Coordinates of all heavy atoms in Angstrom, one line a residue:
L33 N 85.9 197.5 -3.1 CA 86.8 197.1 -4.2 C 87.1 195.6 -4.1 O 87.1 194.9 -5.1 CB 88.1 197.9 -4.2 CG 88.0 199.4 -4.6 CD1 89.3 200.0 -4.4 CD2 87.5 199.4 -6.0
K69 N 79.1 172.8 -49.8 CA 79.1 171.5 -50.7 C 78.3 170.4 -50.1 O 77.7 169.7 -50.9 CB 80.7 171.1 -50.7 CG 80.9 169.9 -51.6 CD 82.4 169.6 -51.6 CE 82.6 168.3 -52.5 NZ 84.0 167.9 -52.4
P76 N 71.0 177.5 -42.8 CA 71.5 177.8 -41.4 C 70.5 178.6 -40.6 O 70.1 179.6 -41.1 CB 72.9 178.5 -41.7 CG 73.2 178.3 -43.1 CD 71.8 178.0 -43.8
L77 N 70.3 178.2 -39.4 CA 69.4 178.9 -38.5 C 70.2 179.8 -37.6 O 69.9 181.0 -37.6 CB 68.6 177.9 -37.7 CG 67.6 178.5 -36.8 CD1 66.4 179.2 -37.6 CD2 66.9 177.3 -36.0
T87 N 79.8 176.5 -34.1 CA 78.6 175.7 -34.2 C 77.6 176.2 -35.2 O 77.3 177.4 -35.1 CB 78.0 175.4 -32.9 OG1 78.9 175.0 -31.9 CG2 76.8 174.5 -32.9
E94 N 69.7 169.7 -38.0 CA 71.1 169.2 -38.1 C 72.0 170.2 -37.4 O 71.7 171.4 -37.2 CB 71.6 169.0 -39.5 CG 71.0 167.9 -40.2 CD 69.7 168.2 -40.9 OE1 69.2 169.3 -40.7 OE2 69.2 167.4 -41.8
E97 N 79.8 171.1 -36.0 CA 80.7 171.8 -35.1 C 82.2 171.7 -35.7 O 82.6 170.6 -36.2 CB 80.8 171.2 -33.7 CG 79.5 171.4 -32.9 CD 79.6 170.9 -31.4 OE1 80.7 170.5 -31.1 OE2 78.6 171.0 -30.8
F107 N 79.2 166.1 -36.7 CA 78.0 166.3 -37.6 C 76.9 165.5 -37.0 O 77.0 164.3 -36.8 CB 78.3 165.9 -39.0 CG 79.3 166.7 -39.7 CD1 80.6 166.1 -40.0 CD2 79.1 167.9 -40.1 CE1 81.5 166.8 -40.6 CE2 80.1 168.7 -40.7 CZ 81.3 168.1 -41.0
A113 N 70.9 161.1 -42.8 CA 72.2 160.5 -42.9 C 73.3 161.7 -43.0 O 73.0 162.7 -43.7 CB 72.4 159.7 -44.2
E121 N 86.6 156.8 -45.2 CA 86.3 155.5 -46.0 C 86.3 154.3 -45.1 O 85.4 153.4 -45.2 CB 87.3 155.4 -47.1 CG 87.0 156.4 -48.3 CD 85.7 156.2 -48.9 OE1 85.2 155.1 -49.0 OE2 85.1 157.3 -49.3
V127 N 81.1 150.1 -41.2 CA 79.6 150.1 -40.9 C 78.8 149.3 -41.9 O 77.9 148.6 -41.6 CB 79.1 151.6 -40.8 CG1 77.7 151.7 -40.7 CG2 79.8 152.3 -39.6
I136 N 74.6 156.3 -41.0 CA 75.3 157.1 -40.0 C 74.6 158.4 -39.8 O 74.4 159.1 -40.8 CB 76.8 157.3 -40.3 CG1 77.5 155.9 -40.3 CG2 77.4 158.2 -39.3 CD1 78.9 156.0 -40.8
N160 N 89.0 153.8 -32.9 CA 90.3 154.5 -32.5 C 90.8 155.3 -33.7 O 90.3 155.4 -34.8 CB 91.3 153.6 -31.9 CG 91.8 152.5 -32.9 OD1 91.7 152.7 -34.1 ND2 92.4 151.5 -32.3
Q164 N 89.9 151.3 -36.0 CA 89.6 150.0 -35.5 C 88.5 150.2 -34.4 O 88.5 151.2 -33.7 CB 90.7 149.3 -34.8 CG 91.9 149.1 -35.7 CD 93.2 148.8 -35.0 OE1 93.5 149.3 -33.8 NE2 94.0 147.9 -35.5
D167 N 84.7 150.0 -29.3 CA 83.5 149.8 -28.5 C 82.2 149.9 -29.3 O 82.2 150.6 -30.3 CB 83.5 150.9 -27.4 CG 82.4 150.6 -26.3 OD1 82.1 149.4 -26.1 OD2 82.1 151.6 -25.5

Side-chain angles (χ1 to χ4, degrees):
L33 287 175
K69 180 178 178 184
L77 183 62
T87 302
E94 290 91 346
E97 288 186 11
F107 295 108
E121 288 299 322
V127 168
I136 296 173
N160 65 16
Q164 299 165 324
D167 192 21

